[in-house]
Amino acid sequence: QAHLVESGGGLVKPGGSLRLSCTASGFTFSDHYMGWLRQAPGKGLEWISYISNNGRDVFYADSVKGRFTISRDNAKNSLYLQMNNLGAEDTAFYHCARAIAVAGLFSGFDPWGQGTMVTVSS
Amino acid sequence: EKVMTQSPATLSVSPGETATLSCRASQSVGSDLAWYQQKPGQAPRLLIYGGSTRATGIPARFSGSGSGTEFTLTISSLQSEDFAVYYCHQYNGWPPGAWTFGQGTEVEI
């Protein structure tokens, strides 16, 4: 059964950096596109980044473009999110999620990891 | 940007009843719509994709319908474990920056 576990969250000062990790198990990681999504406390869901199965194609939401970098290591079944120049607006639970595809087309994120909390505060 | 509007914000129902949740898109998204369930302290879970296809392991009491700009998630014979927040997610268009979520509907007792 597919399972994702995030780590690396914590408290960071404005302007600081963090690197999140997501470890996958129970499926062939290298077969799947992966995404990062976040949820501010008490708020809804926001997609922030997406990476192809081989890592060559990456995409970002405008809100994080130029500050966040997504990457993956298929040999380690791991997904990463390097976050730089963090601001209060980045305070949220960060979830990694596997993209599912039907007939080669994106059809949703399943499963999601439990998330890791990032708090940006002085 | 395609704005997704969910209604109502909160839906009060009793166990055994049927809940009907709405999701409206500001522009057509075809059938590129998913529904997720999120319980407190848990990760979201995919329920429906393609507007109407149940994800693996999702009970038949969950059904999705609609296309274009109007979508509905129906939960029949509500069970206690169904009380949660439900989000719609449109994934029409490429690149993924075009994807957006609704603000959620809380189904409460």
Side-chain angles (χ1 to χ4, degrees), chain A residues 22-58:
Chain A
C22 169
T23 302
S25 60
F27 66 99
T28 305
F29 182 69
S30 58
D31 283 351
H32 290 268
Y33 281 52
M34 297 291 295
W36 284 100
L37 305 97
R38 68 184 179 185
Q39 186 171 30
K43 302 295 185 182
L45 299 166
E46 178 188 15
W47 167 84
I48 57 172
S49 190
Y50 194 56
I51 187 168
S52 61
N53 59 323
N54 58 18
R56 291 189 193 134
D57 299 314
V58 296

PDB file of all heavy atoms in Angstrom, chain A residues 22-58:
ATOM      1  N   CYS A  22      10.333  13.907   1.672  1.00  0.00           N
ATOM      2  CA  CYS A  22       9.176  13.018   1.627  1.00  0.00           C
ATOM      3  C   CYS A  22       9.683  11.642   1.201  1.00  0.00           C
ATOM      4  O   CYS A  22      10.272  11.506   0.128  1.00  0.00           O
ATOM      5  CB  CYS A  22       8.150  13.545   0.635  1.00  0.00           C
ATOM      6  SG  CYS A  22       6.811  12.400   0.226  1.00  0.00           S
ATOM      7  N   THR A  23       9.476  10.662   2.051  1.00  0.00           N
ATOM      8  CA  THR A  23       9.923   9.304   1.751  1.00  0.00           C
ATOM      9  C   THR A  23       8.741   8.448   1.346  1.00  0.00           C
ATOM     10  O   THR A  23       7.724   8.410   2.056  1.00  0.00           O
ATOM     11  CB  THR A  23      10.620   8.682   2.967  1.00  0.00           C
ATOM     12  OG1 THR A  23      11.722   9.505   3.345  1.00  0.00           O
ATOM     13  CG2 THR A  23      11.131   7.284   2.640  1.00  0.00           C
ATOM     14  N   ALA A  24       8.868   7.801   0.214  1.00  0.00           N
ATOM     15  CA  ALA A  24       7.783   6.996  -0.330  1.00  0.00           C
ATOM     16  C   ALA A  24       8.037   5.505  -0.133  1.00  0.00           C
ATOM     17  O   ALA A  24       9.184   5.052  -0.141  1.00  0.00           O
ATOM     18  CB  ALA A  24       7.619   7.283  -1.821  1.00  0.00           C
ATOM     19  N   SER A  25       6.964   4.752   0.022  1.00  0.00           N
ATOM     20  CA  SER A  25       7.060   3.297   0.120  1.00  0.00           C
ATOM     21  C   SER A  25       5.772   2.682  -0.406  1.00  0.00           C
ATOM     22  O   SER A  25       4.734   3.354  -0.497  1.00  0.00           O
ATOM     23  CB  SER A  25       7.301   2.862   1.562  1.00  0.00           C
ATOM     24  OG  SER A  25       6.247   3.277   2.403  1.00  0.00           O
ATOM     25  N   GLY A  26       5.854   1.406  -0.769  1.00  0.00           N
ATOM     26  CA  GLY A  26       4.665   0.667  -1.184  1.00  0.00           C
ATOM     27  C   GLY A  26       4.283   0.820  -2.642  1.00  0.00           C
ATOM     28  O   GLY A  26       3.254   0.296  -3.066  1.00  0.00           O
ATOM     29  N   PHE A  27       5.086   1.539  -3.425  1.00  0.00           N
ATOM     30  CA  PHE A  27       4.820   1.671  -4.852  1.00  0.00           C
ATOM     31  C   PHE A  27       6.137   2.001  -5.564  1.00  0.00           C
ATOM     32  O   PHE A  27       7.131   2.317  -4.922  1.00  0.00           O
ATOM     33  CB  PHE A  27       3.757   2.733  -5.125  1.00  0.00           C
ATOM     34  CG  PHE A  27       4.156   4.154  -4.790  1.00  0.00           C
ATOM     35  CD1 PHE A  27       4.593   5.039  -5.776  1.00  0.00           C
ATOM     36  CD2 PHE A  27       4.071   4.629  -3.484  1.00  0.00           C
ATOM     37  CE1 PHE A  27       4.944   6.350  -5.465  1.00  0.00           C
ATOM     38  CE2 PHE A  27       4.413   5.927  -3.163  1.00  0.00           C
ATOM     39  CZ  PHE A  27       4.859   6.792  -4.156  1.00  0.00           C
ATOM     40  N   THR A  28       6.104   1.907  -6.878  1.00  0.00           N
ATOM     41  CA  THR A  28       7.301   2.197  -7.672  1.00  0.00           C
ATOM     42  C   THR A  28       7.401   3.697  -7.841  1.00  0.00           C
ATOM     43  O   THR A  28       6.755   4.293  -8.712  1.00  0.00           O
ATOM     44  CB  THR A  28       7.242   1.482  -9.028  1.00  0.00           C
ATOM     45  OG1 THR A  28       7.049   0.077  -8.809  1.00  0.00           O
ATOM     46  CG2 THR A  28       8.546   1.702  -9.798  1.00  0.00           C
ATOM     47  N   PHE A  29       8.213   4.300  -6.990  1.00  0.00           N
ATOM     48  CA  PHE A  29       8.307   5.767  -6.916  1.00  0.00           C
ATOM     49  C   PHE A  29       8.661   6.371  -8.272  1.00  0.00           C
ATOM     50  O   PHE A  29       8.086   7.386  -8.674  1.00  0.00           O
ATOM     51  CB  PHE A  29       9.361   6.126  -5.870  1.00  0.00           C
ATOM     52  CG  PHE A  29       9.549   7.592  -5.623  1.00  0.00           C
ATOM     53  CD1 PHE A  29       8.569   8.351  -4.996  1.00  0.00           C
ATOM     54  CD2 PHE A  29      10.728   8.226  -6.002  1.00  0.00           C
ATOM     55  CE1 PHE A  29       8.752   9.710  -4.761  1.00  0.00           C
ATOM     56  CE2 PHE A  29      10.925   9.567  -5.768  1.00  0.00           C
ATOM     57  CZ  PHE A  29       9.932  10.316  -5.146  1.00  0.00           C
ATOM     58  N   SER A  30       9.570   5.747  -8.976  1.00  0.00           N
ATOM     59  CA  SER A  30      10.071   6.320 -10.225  1.00  0.00           C
ATOM     60  C   SER A  30       9.038   6.307 -11.352  1.00  0.00           C
ATOM     61  O   SER A  30       9.289   6.877 -12.414  1.00  0.00           O
ATOM     62  CB  SER A  30      11.326   5.572 -10.669  1.00  0.00           C
ATOM     63  OG  SER A  30      11.053   4.199 -10.833  1.00  0.00           O
ATOM     64  N   ASP A  31       7.906   5.674 -11.126  1.00  0.00           N
ATOM     65  CA  ASP A  31       6.857   5.646 -12.144  1.00  0.00           C
ATOM     66  C   ASP A  31       5.919   6.849 -12.068  1.00  0.00           C
ATOM     67  O   ASP A  31       5.101   7.056 -12.968  1.00  0.00           O
ATOM     68  CB  ASP A  31       6.002   4.380 -12.009  1.00  0.00           C
ATOM     69  CG  ASP A  31       6.679   3.144 -12.560  1.00  0.00           C
ATOM     70  OD1 ASP A  31       7.735   3.284 -13.211  1.00  0.00           O
ATOM     71  OD2 ASP A  31       6.150   2.042 -12.324  1.00  0.00           O
ATOM     72  N   HIS A  32       6.002   7.587 -10.967  1.00  0.00           N
ATOM     73  CA  HIS A  32       4.977   8.586 -10.694  1.00  0.00           C
ATOM     74  C   HIS A  32       5.494  10.017 -10.637  1.00  0.00           C
ATOM     75  O   HIS A  32       6.551  10.288 -10.062  1.00  0.00           O
ATOM     76  CB  HIS A  32       4.286   8.288  -9.368  1.00  0.00           C
ATOM     77  CG  HIS A  32       3.426   7.074  -9.399  1.00  0.00           C
ATOM     78  ND1 HIS A  32       2.077   7.112  -9.704  1.00  0.00           N
ATOM     79  CD2 HIS A  32       3.728   5.780  -9.196  1.00  0.00           C
ATOM     80  CE1 HIS A  32       1.590   5.887  -9.666  1.00  0.00           C
ATOM     81  NE2 HIS A  32       2.566   5.060  -9.371  1.00  0.00           N
ATOM     82  N   TYR A  33       4.711  10.939 -11.228  1.00  0.00           N
ATOM     83  CA  TYR A  33       4.880  12.346 -10.938  1.00  0.00           C
ATOM     84  C   TYR A  33       4.511  12.546  -9.462  1.00  0.00           C
ATOM     85  O   TYR A  33       3.698  11.793  -8.912  1.00  0.00           O
ATOM     86  CB  TYR A  33       3.943  13.187 -11.790  1.00  0.00           C
ATOM     87  CG  TYR A  33       4.371  13.420 -13.220  1.00  0.00           C
ATOM     88  CD1 TYR A  33       4.718  12.376 -14.066  1.00  0.00           C
ATOM     89  CD2 TYR A  33       4.391  14.710 -13.746  1.00  0.00           C
ATOM     90  CE1 TYR A  33       5.084  12.607 -15.387  1.00  0.00           C
ATOM     91  CE2 TYR A  33       4.749  14.961 -15.062  1.00  0.00           C
ATOM     92  CZ  TYR A  33       5.102  13.895 -15.884  1.00  0.00           C
ATOM     93  OH  TYR A  33       5.457  14.136 -17.179  1.00  0.00           O
ATOM     94  N   MET A  34       5.100  13.582  -8.848  1.00  0.00           N
ATOM     95  CA  MET A  34       4.828  13.865  -7.444  1.00  0.00           C
ATOM     96  C   MET A  34       4.572  15.357  -7.255  1.00  0.00           C
ATOM     97  O   MET A  34       5.041  16.185  -8.041  1.00  0.00           O
ATOM     98  CB  MET A  34       6.025  13.453  -6.583  1.00  0.00           C
ATOM     99  CG  MET A  34       6.350  11.963  -6.599  1.00  0.00           C
ATOM    100  SD  MET A  34       5.102  10.956  -5.774  1.00  0.00           S
ATOM    101  CE  MET A  34       5.249  11.528  -4.079  1.00  0.00           C
ATOM    102  N   GLY A  35       3.863  15.674  -6.198  1.00  0.00           N
ATOM    103  CA  GLY A  35       3.577  17.082  -5.936  1.00  0.00           C
ATOM    104  C   GLY A  35       3.757  17.443  -4.476  1.00  0.00           C
ATOM    105  O   GLY A  35       3.785  16.574  -3.600  1.00  0.00           O
ATOM    106  N   TRP A  36       3.908  18.727  -4.259  1.00  0.00           N
ATOM    107  CA  TRP A  36       3.847  19.311  -2.910  1.00  0.00           C
ATOM    108  C   TRP A  36       2.623  20.234  -2.871  1.00  0.00           C
ATOM    109  O   TRP A  36       2.388  21.018  -3.800  1.00  0.00           O
ATOM    110  CB  TRP A  36       5.100  20.129  -2.593  1.00  0.00           C
ATOM    111  CG  TRP A  36       6.314  19.323  -2.269  1.00  0.00           C
ATOM    112  CD1 TRP A  36       7.351  19.037  -3.104  1.00  0.00           C
ATOM    113  CD2 TRP A  36       6.645  18.713  -1.023  1.00  0.00           C
ATOM    114  NE1 TRP A  36       8.301  18.275  -2.456  1.00  0.00           N
ATOM    115  CE2 TRP A  36       7.891  18.068  -1.171  1.00  0.00           C
ATOM    116  CE3 TRP A  36       6.020  18.651   0.232  1.00  0.00           C
ATOM    117  CZ2 TRP A  36       8.519  17.367  -0.130  1.00  0.00           C
ATOM    118  CZ3 TRP A  36       6.632  17.945   1.257  1.00  0.00           C
ATOM    119  CH2 TRP A  36       7.865  17.319   1.083  1.00  0.00           C
ATOM    120  N   LEU A  37       1.890  20.131  -1.811  1.00  0.00           N
ATOM    121  CA  LEU A  37       0.736  20.990  -1.569  1.00  0.00           C
ATOM    122  C   LEU A  37       0.818  21.461  -0.125  1.00  0.00           C
ATOM    123  O   LEU A  37       1.474  20.843   0.711  1.00  0.00           O
ATOM    124  CB  LEU A  37      -0.564  20.233  -1.813  1.00  0.00           C
ATOM    125  CG  LEU A  37      -0.698  19.588  -3.198  1.00  0.00           C
ATOM    126  CD1 LEU A  37      -0.318  18.115  -3.159  1.00  0.00           C
ATOM    127  CD2 LEU A  37      -2.091  19.760  -3.750  1.00  0.00           C
ATOM    128  N   ARG A  38       0.150  22.585   0.151  1.00  0.00           N
ATOM    129  CA  ARG A  38       0.196  23.085   1.515  1.00  0.00           C
ATOM    130  C   ARG A  38      -1.172  23.554   1.974  1.00  0.00           C
ATOM    131  O   ARG A  38      -2.073  23.796   1.172  1.00  0.00           O
ATOM    132  CB  ARG A  38       1.220  24.208   1.650  1.00  0.00           C
ATOM    133  CG  ARG A  38       0.870  25.483   0.923  1.00  0.00           C
ATOM    134  CD  ARG A  38       2.013  26.504   1.050  1.00  0.00           C
ATOM    135  NE  ARG A  38       1.721  27.747   0.345  1.00  0.00           N
ATOM    136  CZ  ARG A  38       2.589  28.753   0.231  1.00  0.00           C
ATOM    137  NH1 ARG A  38       3.804  28.659   0.784  1.00  0.00           N
ATOM    138  NH2 ARG A  38       2.238  29.846  -0.414  1.00  0.00           N
ATOM    139  N   GLN A  39      -1.277  23.660   3.293  1.00  0.00           N
ATOM    140  CA  GLN A  39      -2.537  24.075   3.904  1.00  0.00           C
ATOM    141  C   GLN A  39      -2.207  24.942   5.110  1.00  0.00           C
ATOM    142  O   GLN A  39      -1.690  24.450   6.109  1.00  0.00           O
ATOM    143  CB  GLN A  39      -3.340  22.848   4.324  1.00  0.00           C
ATOM    144  CG  GLN A  39      -4.728  23.144   4.829  1.00  0.00           C
ATOM    145  CD  GLN A  39      -5.539  21.871   5.012  1.00  0.00           C
ATOM    146  OE1 GLN A  39      -5.010  20.803   5.295  1.00  0.00           O
ATOM    147  NE2 GLN A  39      -6.853  21.988   4.842  1.00  0.00           N
ATOM    148  N   ALA A  40      -2.497  26.237   4.989  1.00  0.00           N
ATOM    149  CA  ALA A  40      -2.306  27.137   6.119  1.00  0.00           C
ATOM    150  C   ALA A  40      -3.303  26.776   7.209  1.00  0.00           C
ATOM    151  O   ALA A  40      -4.388  26.254   6.920  1.00  0.00           O
ATOM    152  CB  ALA A  40      -2.496  28.578   5.672  1.00  0.00           C
ATOM    153  N   PRO A  41      -2.954  27.029   8.474  1.00  0.00           N
ATOM    154  CA  PRO A  41      -3.853  26.652   9.578  1.00  0.00           C
ATOM    155  C   PRO A  41      -5.265  27.184   9.385  1.00  0.00           C
ATOM    156  O   PRO A  41      -5.467  28.382   9.164  1.00  0.00           O
ATOM    157  CB  PRO A  41      -3.172  27.295  10.797  1.00  0.00           C
ATOM    158  CG  PRO A  41      -1.727  27.322  10.439  1.00  0.00           C
ATOM    159  CD  PRO A  41      -1.691  27.611   8.963  1.00  0.00           C
ATOM    160  N   GLY A  42      -6.223  26.280   9.428  1.00  0.00           N
ATOM    161  CA  GLY A  42      -7.616  26.667   9.279  1.00  0.00           C
ATOM    162  C   GLY A  42      -8.035  27.073   7.885  1.00  0.00           C
ATOM    163  O   GLY A  42      -9.152  27.564   7.693  1.00  0.00           O
ATOM    164  N   LYS A  43      -7.161  26.873   6.914  1.00  0.00           N
ATOM    165  CA  LYS A  43      -7.438  27.300   5.541  1.00  0.00           C
ATOM    166  C   LYS A  43      -7.574  26.104   4.606  1.00  0.00           C
ATOM    167  O   LYS A  43      -7.495  24.960   5.015  1.00  0.00           O
ATOM    168  CB  LYS A  43      -6.318  28.230   5.049  1.00  0.00           C
ATOM    169  CG  LYS A  43      -6.111  29.461   5.909  1.00  0.00           C
ATOM    170  CD  LYS A  43      -7.307  30.382   5.879  1.00  0.00           C
ATOM    171  CE  LYS A  43      -7.039  31.668   6.640  1.00  0.00           C
ATOM    172  NZ  LYS A  43      -8.222  32.572   6.667  1.00  0.00           N
ATOM    173  N   GLY A  44      -7.756  26.407   3.342  1.00  0.00           N
ATOM    174  CA  GLY A  44      -7.917  25.372   2.339  1.00  0.00           C
ATOM    175  C   GLY A  44      -6.589  24.885   1.776  1.00  0.00           C
ATOM    176  O   GLY A  44      -5.517  25.183   2.289  1.00  0.00           O
ATOM    177  N   LEU A  45      -6.688  24.133   0.680  1.00  0.00           N
ATOM    178  CA  LEU A  45      -5.537  23.486   0.073  1.00  0.00           C
ATOM    179  C   LEU A  45      -4.969  24.321  -1.063  1.00  0.00           C
ATOM    180  O   LEU A  45      -5.723  24.958  -1.808  1.00  0.00           O
ATOM    181  CB  LEU A  45      -5.953  22.106  -0.449  1.00  0.00           C
ATOM    182  CG  LEU A  45      -6.477  21.136   0.608  1.00  0.00           C
ATOM    183  CD1 LEU A  45      -7.161  19.948  -0.050  1.00  0.00           C
ATOM    184  CD2 LEU A  45      -5.337  20.677   1.507  1.00  0.00           C
ATOM    185  N   GLU A  46      -3.661  24.293  -1.205  1.00  0.00           N
ATOM    186  CA  GLU A  46      -2.983  25.024  -2.271  1.00  0.00           C
ATOM    187  C   GLU A  46      -1.907  24.140  -2.877  1.00  0.00           C
ATOM    188  O   GLU A  46      -1.007  23.674  -2.182  1.00  0.00           O
ATOM    189  CB  GLU A  46      -2.356  26.320  -1.733  1.00  0.00           C
ATOM    190  CG  GLU A  46      -1.600  27.113  -2.785  1.00  0.00           C
ATOM    191  CD  GLU A  46      -0.820  28.286  -2.195  1.00  0.00           C
ATOM    192  OE1 GLU A  46      -0.618  28.332  -0.969  1.00  0.00           O
ATOM    193  OE2 GLU A  46      -0.372  29.146  -2.980  1.00  0.00           O
ATOM    194  N   TRP A  47      -1.989  23.919  -4.186  1.00  0.00           N
ATOM    195  CA  TRP A  47      -0.920  23.215  -4.889  1.00  0.00           C
ATOM    196  C   TRP A  47       0.258  24.169  -5.049  1.00  0.00           C
ATOM    197  O   TRP A  47       0.078  25.341  -5.369  1.00  0.00           O
ATOM    198  CB  TRP A  47      -1.401  22.784  -6.271  1.00  0.00           C
ATOM    199  CG  TRP A  47      -0.278  22.345  -7.155  1.00  0.00           C
ATOM    200  CD1 TRP A  47       0.297  21.116  -7.202  1.00  0.00           C
ATOM    201  CD2 TRP A  47       0.447  23.157  -8.080  1.00  0.00           C
ATOM    202  NE1 TRP A  47       1.321  21.118  -8.104  1.00  0.00           N
ATOM    203  CE2 TRP A  47       1.442  22.352  -8.656  1.00  0.00           C
ATOM    204  CE3 TRP A  47       0.362  24.486  -8.477  1.00  0.00           C
ATOM    205  CZ2 TRP A  47       2.335  22.819  -9.607  1.00  0.00           C
ATOM    206  CZ3 TRP A  47       1.253  24.964  -9.431  1.00  0.00           C
ATOM    207  CH2 TRP A  47       2.224  24.136  -9.980  1.00  0.00           C
ATOM    208  N   ILE A  48       1.490  23.687  -4.776  1.00  0.00           N
ATOM    209  CA  ILE A  48       2.614  24.590  -4.906  1.00  0.00           C
ATOM    210  C   ILE A  48       3.708  24.098  -5.850  1.00  0.00           C
ATOM    211  O   ILE A  48       4.435  24.922  -6.416  1.00  0.00           O
ATOM    212  CB  ILE A  48       3.245  24.947  -3.541  1.00  0.00           C
ATOM    213  CG1 ILE A  48       3.699  23.702  -2.794  1.00  0.00           C
ATOM    214  CG2 ILE A  48       2.309  25.789  -2.720  1.00  0.00           C
ATOM    215  CD1 ILE A  48       4.493  24.027  -1.544  1.00  0.00           C
ATOM    216  N   SER A  49       3.846  22.786  -6.047  1.00  0.00           N
ATOM    217  CA  SER A  49       4.914  22.346  -6.933  1.00  0.00           C
ATOM    218  C   SER A  49       4.655  20.925  -7.421  1.00  0.00           C
ATOM    219  O   SER A  49       3.946  20.145  -6.779  1.00  0.00           O
ATOM    220  CB  SER A  49       6.265  22.417  -6.216  1.00  0.00           C
ATOM    221  OG  SER A  49       7.328  22.208  -7.127  1.00  0.00           O
ATOM    222  N   TYR A  50       5.260  20.603  -8.571  1.00  0.00           N
ATOM    223  CA  TYR A  50       4.997  19.337  -9.245  1.00  0.00           C
ATOM    224  C   TYR A  50       6.255  18.951  -9.995  1.00  0.00           C
ATOM    225  O   TYR A  50       6.959  19.816 -10.544  1.00  0.00           O
ATOM    226  CB  TYR A  50       3.836  19.560 -10.211  1.00  0.00           C
ATOM    227  CG  TYR A  50       3.154  18.360 -10.788  1.00  0.00           C
ATOM    228  CD1 TYR A  50       2.610  17.380  -9.968  1.00  0.00           C
ATOM    229  CD2 TYR A  50       2.986  18.233 -12.168  1.00  0.00           C
ATOM    230  CE1 TYR A  50       1.933  16.299 -10.512  1.00  0.00           C
ATOM    231  CE2 TYR A  50       2.314  17.157 -12.717  1.00  0.00           C
ATOM    232  CZ  TYR A  50       1.787  16.196 -11.882  1.00  0.00           C
ATOM    233  OH  TYR A  50       1.114  15.120 -12.410  1.00  0.00           O
ATOM    234  N   ILE A  51       6.561  17.637 -10.009  1.00  0.00           N
ATOM    235  CA  ILE A  51       7.778  17.177 -10.680  1.00  0.00           C
ATOM    236  C   ILE A  51       7.475  15.906 -11.455  1.00  0.00           C
ATOM    237  O   ILE A  51       6.723  15.028 -10.983  1.00  0.00           O
ATOM    238  CB  ILE A  51       8.918  16.968  -9.653  1.00  0.00           C
ATOM    239  CG1 ILE A  51      10.244  16.659 -10.352  1.00  0.00           C
ATOM    240  CG2 ILE A  51       8.560  15.881  -8.641  1.00  0.00           C
ATOM    241  CD1 ILE A  51      11.454  16.730  -9.403  1.00  0.00           C
ATOM    242  N   SER A  52       8.060  15.793 -12.635  1.00  0.00           N
ATOM    243  CA  SER A  52       7.852  14.611 -13.449  1.00  0.00           C
ATOM    244  C   SER A  52       8.553  13.406 -12.819  1.00  0.00           C
ATOM    245  O   SER A  52       9.387  13.545 -11.925  1.00  0.00           O
ATOM    246  CB  SER A  52       8.366  14.839 -14.869  1.00  0.00           C
ATOM    247  OG  SER A  52       9.757  15.109 -14.839  1.00  0.00           O
ATOM    248  N   ASN A  53       8.249  12.216 -13.319  1.00  0.00           N
ATOM    249  CA  ASN A  53       8.785  11.008 -12.708  1.00  0.00           C
ATOM    250  C   ASN A  53      10.303  10.923 -12.821  1.00  0.00           C
ATOM    251  O   ASN A  53      10.969  10.378 -11.942  1.00  0.00           O
ATOM    252  CB  ASN A  53       8.127   9.757 -13.289  1.00  0.00           C
ATOM    253  CG  ASN A  53       8.320   9.639 -14.789  1.00  0.00           C
ATOM    254  OD1 ASN A  53       8.307  10.620 -15.503  1.00  0.00           O
ATOM    255  ND2 ASN A  53       8.479   8.419 -15.266  1.00  0.00           N
ATOM    256  N   ASN A  54      10.853  11.510 -13.880  1.00  0.00           N
ATOM    257  CA  ASN A  54      12.308  11.462 -14.027  1.00  0.00           C
ATOM    258  C   ASN A  54      12.989  12.733 -13.516  1.00  0.00           C
ATOM    259  O   ASN A  54      14.211  12.871 -13.588  1.00  0.00           O
ATOM    260  CB  ASN A  54      12.698  11.219 -15.489  1.00  0.00           C
ATOM    261  CG  ASN A  54      12.153  12.283 -16.426  1.00  0.00           C
ATOM    262  OD1 ASN A  54      11.760  13.370 -15.997  1.00  0.00           O
ATOM    263  ND2 ASN A  54      12.123  11.962 -17.702  1.00  0.00           N
ATOM    264  N   GLY A  55      12.197  13.660 -12.993  1.00  0.00           N
ATOM    265  CA  GLY A  55      12.750  14.872 -12.401  1.00  0.00           C
ATOM    266  C   GLY A  55      13.097  15.970 -13.384  1.00  0.00           C
ATOM    267  O   GLY A  55      13.554  17.044 -12.970  1.00  0.00           O
ATOM    268  N   ARG A  56      12.898  15.740 -14.664  1.00  0.00           N
ATOM    269  CA  ARG A  56      13.333  16.730 -15.666  1.00  0.00           C
ATOM    270  C   ARG A  56      12.373  17.909 -15.777  1.00  0.00           C
ATOM    271  O   ARG A  56      12.768  19.006 -16.140  1.00  0.00           O
ATOM    272  CB  ARG A  56      13.468  16.064 -17.029  1.00  0.00           C
ATOM    273  CG  ARG A  56      14.603  15.084 -17.115  1.00  0.00           C
ATOM    274  CD  ARG A  56      14.826  14.606 -18.542  1.00  0.00           C
ATOM    275  NE  ARG A  56      15.709  13.438 -18.554  1.00  0.00           N
ATOM    276  CZ  ARG A  56      15.492  12.341 -19.259  1.00  0.00           C
ATOM    277  NH1 ARG A  56      14.422  12.258 -20.041  1.00  0.00           N
ATOM    278  NH2 ARG A  56      16.335  11.334 -19.217  1.00  0.00           N
ATOM    279  N   ASP A  57      11.099  17.672 -15.522  1.00  0.00           N
ATOM    280  CA  ASP A  57      10.097  18.734 -15.650  1.00  0.00           C
ATOM    281  C   ASP A  57       9.580  19.130 -14.274  1.00  0.00           C
ATOM    282  O   ASP A  57       9.140  18.267 -13.508  1.00  0.00           O
ATOM    283  CB  ASP A  57       8.935  18.266 -16.521  1.00  0.00           C
ATOM    284  CG  ASP A  57       9.386  17.922 -17.929  1.00  0.00           C
ATOM    285  OD1 ASP A  57      10.138  18.719 -18.509  1.00  0.00           O
ATOM    286  OD2 ASP A  57       8.988  16.844 -18.421  1.00  0.00           O
ATOM    287  N   VAL A  58       9.663  20.405 -13.990  1.00  0.00           N
ATOM    288  CA  VAL A  58       9.207  20.902 -12.690  1.00  0.00           C
ATOM    289  C   VAL A  58       8.292  22.106 -12.910  1.00  0.00           C
ATOM    290  O   VAL A  58       8.450  22.845 -13.879  1.00  0.00           O
ATOM    291  CB  VAL A  58      10.387  21.290 -11.777  1.00  0.00           C
ATOM    292  CG1 VAL A  58      11.230  20.068 -11.432  1.00  0.00           C
ATOM    293  CG2 VAL A  58      11.243  22.375 -12.414  1.00  0.00           C
TER     294      VAL A  58
END
